Amino acid sequence: MIRIEGIAAFVAVVEAGSVSEAARRLRLSKSVVSERLAELEKSLGATLLRRTTRKLTLTEDGAAFMERAARIVREIEDATADMAERRGTLSGPIRIAAPVTFGRMHLGPALYPFLADHPDIELTLDIDDRRVDVSSDGYDAVIRHGPIADSRLVVWKLAESRRFLCASPDYLTRKGAPTSLTDLNGHRGLFYTNRGIADWRFQTPEGAIIVRAKMALGMNNGDMLRDAAIAGLGVALLPAFIAGPAVRDGRLVEIDVGYRPEAEFIYMAHPEGRNPSAKLRAIADHLKKTFGDPPYWDPAG
């Protein structure tokens, strides 16, 4: 007989990439997870995973089984959550990925009161700036800042995310404040490397214009990029959720070059074709209300 616990263990191992990580997510011992995998393979009469000292890989049978197995596990999780909703409660596991700086500064503080009000929700929040594949990496949703081009995802806007050019008062005193897009070519650019040097996009009546200033410094962390701008190292294009407090207290100055950077949003996205659970919808609604319109972190709000 095939047991759902074995299917769930198999899906968790594939999505986690190891038995130990799957055991951590399932809150079980490694030996229990291994036993459930062995029992499942015995029941199916097939080897699903190849085990080496370094990694686990799917066999051909395992790859074929995984697609349906993952769907079965999600359906059971959704059915369990729906039953809880019928009783007036939100419960069960949910896994969300989010970027580091936004997660630390705004997402965590917004979620903590919600989780306190719904103690039966088991949230796993993975904070990482890498671009995850929501479906194959086993996430229920991802929270991101900026444009999204993946047609496999359904996107919910949580808040507007205005970005602005800024620099320290000291830098602007030494180098002069740019007043046009052309002026930016003569300034030191501080760039967020996850988005590249083509990140400085401005909306003009003729359409979007990309400004490629000289890169003086590139970083893949928004906090450090803000701090580099405060230190007077150059001009940065930063979202208000990172730079807002520094603009309010005068450590950074917003620069007006005649055109605004292209509008962006904080969004939550979930896989197309999968009905979002009640708890995911509730989290999205809570975040949207907490962030506000305009969002509380925008100094111009």
Side-chain angles (χ1 to χ4, degrees):
M1 178 186 295
I2 297 176
R3 300 168 60 90
I4 186 61
E5 292 88 349
I7 297 175
F10 168 68
V11 171
V13 168
V14 174
E15 292 180 343
S18 70
V19 172
S20 57
E21 176 60 18
R24 185 188 68 81
R25 294 181 185 179
L26 294 172
R27 300 178 185 178
L28 298 170
S29 67
K30 289 174 59 177
S31 61
V32 169
V33 173
S34 296
E35 288 171 4
R36 290 182 179 180
L37 278 175
E39 182 182 342
L40 176 64
E41 290 181 323
K42 182 178 180 181
S43 298
L44 291 172
T47 300
L48 303 177
L49 292 165
R50 292 191 184 93
R51 300 158 176 83
T52 67
T53 56
R54 292 191 174 185
K55 65 179 180 178
L56 295 172
T57 57
L58 284 167
T59 64
E60 185 176 348
D61 286 336
F65 186 68
M66 176 59 187
E67 183 178 353
R68 293 187 178 182
R71 188 159 58 244
I72 289 169
V73 171
R74 300 288 179 257
E75 289 290 342
I76 291 175
E77 290 176 351
D78 290 346
T80 302
D82 287 344
M83 290 302 295
E85 184 182 10
R86 287 174 177 271
R87 298 192 301 269
T89 61
L90 298 173
S91 67
I94 187 167
R95 189 172 177 224
I96 298 174
V100 175
T101 299
F102 185 77
R104 180 184 61 80
M105 294 181 67
H106 304 286
L107 182 59
L111 282 175
Y112 301 149
F114 177 86
L115 295 173
D117 290 339
H118 302 282
D120 292 329
I121 289 180
E122 303 166 18
L123 173 65
T124 298
L125 185 62
D126 287 345
I127 302 298
D128 198 321
D129 285 336
R130 70 183 177 89
R131 293 282 173 172
V132 302
D133 187 319
V134 182
S135 298
S136 62
D137 288 346
Y139 293 99
D140 296 286
V142 61
I143 293 175
R144 279 290 179 259
H145 165 250
I148 179 170
D150 193 337
S151 61
R152 300 171 300 169
L153 298 178
V154 177
V155 177
W156 297 339
K157 292 178 181 178
L158 300 179
E160 184 179 0
S161 181
R162 188 171 71 92
R163 298 197 301 164
F164 46 77
L165 287 168
C166 55
S168 70
D170 172 67
Y171 175 86
L172 295 176
T173 297
R174 288 185 287 111
K175 300 293 187 179
T179 59
S180 69
L181 296 180
T182 303
D183 286 348
L184 290 174
N185 294 323
H187 283 266
R188 294 169 54 86
L190 310 178
F191 288 93
Y192 183 56
T193 54
N194 282 6
R195 300 172 67 116
I197 61 173
D199 182 40
W200 289 16
R201 297 173 61 90
F202 296 84
Q203 192 61 50
T204 73
E206 291 76 33
I209 290 180
I210 297 175
V211 176
R212 290 179 171 84
K214 177 183 177 181
M215 187 173 80
L217 179 65
M219 289 185 176
N220 66 350
N221 180 268
D223 286 331
M224 294 183 68
L225 199 64
R226 174 203 58 211
D227 293 345
I230 291 173
L233 298 183
V235 176
L237 180 62
L238 293 170
F241 69 77
I242 292 178
V247 170
R248 287 193 184 95
D249 63 25
R251 289 175 295 160
L252 289 176
V253 176
E254 184 173 355
I255 299 170
D256 183 2
V257 291
Y259 299 102
R260 289 188 174 185
E262 283 192 323
E264 293 190 347
F265 293 87
I266 302 295
Y267 61 83
M268 176 183 283
H270 67 85
E272 185 180 37
R274 184 189 303 173
N275 291 329
S277 64
K279 55 182 174 288
L280 185 62
R281 293 194 300 268
I283 289 173
D285 290 343
H286 170 78
L287 292 177
K288 190 172 183 179
K289 181 179 179 180
T290 301
F291 295 155
D293 184 18
Y296 69 82
W297 57 69
D298 194 330

